[in-house]
Amino acid sequence: MRARKPVAMYDSGLGGLTVLAALRALEPSADVVYLADTAHLPYGDRTLDDIARLAANNISRLLEHDPRLIVVACGSSCSAFDAHGWPSAPVPLVGLVEHSARAAVDASASGNIGVVATQATAKSGVFGRAIRRLRPDARVVEAGAPALVPIVEAGDAREPRAAIAVAQACKPFEAAHCDALVLGCTHFPLLQEWFAQTLGPGVKLVDPAQTCAQEAAKLLLGGASGEARLIVEVTGDAESFARHAAALGAPPITELRQLTPR
Ligand code: DGL
């Protein structure tokens, strides 16, 4: 018997597709509704107040689908909710921070841990607090990398300019001799090869998409069978989003919907 209630998830744009891919690997039959709020991208350059308002809008839109749970596949939204309180919802809301912090603490031998994220997330200090709750003596360097989200959104994640921008973004973590780096924005796993190339095998990369999807899968407990549907809703240019998503290897979209920005 097929469980029809979908998993809902959102991001400002393409970044949450990293969480979708990780979830599909664990739960191949789960139907997914993915909301991309590209009309308001990038979230990471906004204030936490502004991000919290947009994020709450996204959650109320996704609740219209009567989902099993909602994955907040956006580090900037998690930062804003950490500052303003998570909205109450009738289904579980799964974020990125706690499980990535755990993975970072497990990955680091030295306790020098880096977090590369959007400006909003880095300034909020949310990952640093979560890491220090688990390892109080950790030395955490949180740095924003505002150039990276626009590069991914332009479809240039595999271009040389992405490698150059990642190398620049890694400087504070190299200077601090970090041996683990949390990719604290869901867009950044799409640049993972450049981070690995810049930092080398001595630095373990923590992919928030993996940890977040594992958490969501634990709550889902299987239950679906057959071919999964993927509904994609976009507040900006839906056709352009779908083209870029396909180029990044996203699964085929069953239904693409254009939404009015709120
Ligand atoms: N992918 C999101 C995050 O994890 C948002 C990036 C942005 O829009 O700046 O922070």
Side-chain angles (χ1 to χ4, degrees):
M1 166 91 181
R2 187 177 175 80
R4 297 304 315 188
K5 279 193 178 194
V7 175
M9 60 173 71
Y10 80 85
D11 181 35
S12 59
L14 296 162
L17 295 175
T18 59
V19 183
L20 172 62
L23 186 67
R24 269 282 165 91
L26 297 170
E27 291 281 342
S29 296
D31 290 339
V32 172
V33 179
Y34 184 101
L35 169 58
D37 187 19
T38 53
H40 298 110
L41 183 116
Y43 276 18
D45 294 352
R46 294 174 177 273
T47 63
L48 291 179
D49 283 12
D50 209 9
I51 298 167
R53 180 182 59 79
L54 295 169
N57 266 341
N58 294 337
I59 287 177
S60 61
R61 285 189 122 145
L62 287 172
L63 283 171
E64 290 166 17
H65 293 278
D66 190 21
R68 294 156 80 183
L69 56 87
I70 297 179
V71 180
V72 178
C74 170
S76 307
S77 297
C78 296
S79 313
F81 288 153
D82 186 71
H84 289 269
W86 282 71
S88 57
V91 295
L93 303 178
V94 180
L96 301 174
V97 176
E98 305 301 329
H99 304 284
S100 304
R102 163 63 62 199
V105 167
D106 290 347
S108 173
S110 68
N112 297 338
I113 298 173
V115 180
V116 62
T118 63
Q119 292 285 45
T121 299
K123 265 202 265 163
S124 80
V126 64
F127 279 96
R129 284 191 296 281
I131 290 167
R132 282 189 296 269
R133 274 197 294 276
L134 298 166
R135 181 169 174 173
D137 68 337
R139 290 161 302 281
V140 185
V141 177
E142 295 170 87
L148 301 186
V149 168
I151 288 175
V152 172
E153 289 292 326
D156 287 346
R158 295 184 185 121
E159 298 299 319
R161 79 177 183 114
I164 294 165
V166 167
Q168 185 64 32
C170 285
K171 289 193 188 305
F173 313 115
E174 290 170 317
H177 303 291
C178 293
D179 66 354
L181 178 68
V182 180
L183 306 178
C185 165
T186 51
H187 281 72
F188 297 174
L190 295 165
L191 302 165
Q192 193 148 353
E193 62 180 295
W194 304 125
F195 281 102
Q197 181 179 294
T198 303
L199 295 169
V203 180
K204 301 218 176 77
L205 301 177
V206 175
D207 178 347
Q210 296 297 334
T211 53
C212 178
Q214 280 157 13
E215 202 42 40
K218 268 191 227 158
L219 295 173
L220 287 173
L221 300 171
S225 59
E227 205 180 314
R229 287 165 52 81
L230 173 60
I231 296 172
V232 174
E233 300 186 329
V234 187
T235 59
D237 181 340
E239 293 296 337
S240 152
F241 180 85
R243 266 197 313 279
H244 281 116
L248 290 170
I253 296 172
T254 320
E255 202 178 321
L256 179 64
R257 296 183 187 152
Q258 182 71 62
L259 296 188
T260 317
R262 274 188 195 158

